[in-house]
Amino acid sequence: PEDKGSYFAWGEVSTKSTYTPDNYTLTASPTVLPQHLDAANYIMKGNWRMPTKAEFKELIDNCKMTTLSYGVKFTASNGKYIILPFAGFKEEKLKSTEYGYYWTSNLYPSTSSKAYDIIIGTSQLYYEGNRHCGLSVRPVLPK
């Protein structure tokens, strides 16, 4: 559960060593990422995909959050849980590893250079992240 995984710019399906506006490749601004631009689906195939902002909200609203030394554990009423590690984010280097930054599949509506992400380990759960930054992706399956 403490494995931080890989980092992806929003709408890109491969990792890179640095994440800057100059090497960001997605020029389109879809409201929700289509399947071919979804890193979770590209890597895991099948029905796997990046979660929506609404799905992260459901997780936060319906689960007990417990802070661990390496991340946050979300426990549902049925006892099942998921751990999201404090993976930080990447630009020229890895930053803010005391928090976890996770992409949603939703574009931020007021500016196309940003997309929604959630930040765990802070009181600010929803944020508009710069699309060029490398953030973690937590794959989900449809219900």
Side-chain angles (χ1 to χ4, degrees):
E2 58 276 347
D3 183 5
K4 295 179 174 138
S6 298
Y7 300 88
F8 298 89
W10 192 79
E12 293 184 352
V13 296
S14 60
T15 62
K16 45 192 169 185
S17 57
T18 61
Y19 294 80
T20 67
D22 292 337
N23 71 8
Y24 183 61
T25 61
L26 182 61
T27 56
S29 295
T31 304
V32 177
L33 283 176
Q35 192 171 9
H36 72 282
L37 297 176
D38 183 315
N41 182 268
Y42 183 82
I43 292 167
M44 298 189 69
K45 311 290 186 231
N47 291 324
W48 289 99
R49 60 177 173 74
M50 289 170 52
T52 64
K53 180 183 176 202
E55 288 167 331
F56 265 126
K57 180 173 177 11
E58 182 180 348
L59 177 75
I60 291 162
D61 290 348
N62 296 315
C63 292
K64 177 185 172 197
M65 290 190 290
T66 306
T67 302
L68 309 169
S69 62
Y70 57 88
V72 174
K73 180 179 182 180
F74 294 86
T75 306
S77 59
N78 64 5
K80 292 185 179 183
Y81 65 89
I82 185 172
I83 296 173
L84 299 180
F86 296 142
F89 70 94
K90 279 189 168 184
E91 285 187 284
E92 289 83 16
K93 62 180 184 171
L94 185 60
K95 298 180 178 183
S96 298
T97 55
E98 65 274 16
Y99 306 113
Y101 295 77
Y102 292 84
W103 282 126
T104 75
S105 59
N106 299 98
L107 185 69
Y108 189 71
S110 63
T111 176
S112 62
S113 66
K114 297 179 183 279
Y116 278 111
D117 64 292
I118 84 159
I119 306 172
I120 58 161
T122 71
S123 59
Q124 182 179 17
L125 290 171
Y126 301 107
Y127 185 71
E128 63 277 4
N130 292 315
R131 290 172 28 173
H132 73 270
C133 291
L135 273 63
S136 298
V137 171
R138 177 54 101 176
V140 297
L141 286 169
K143 292 180 182 180

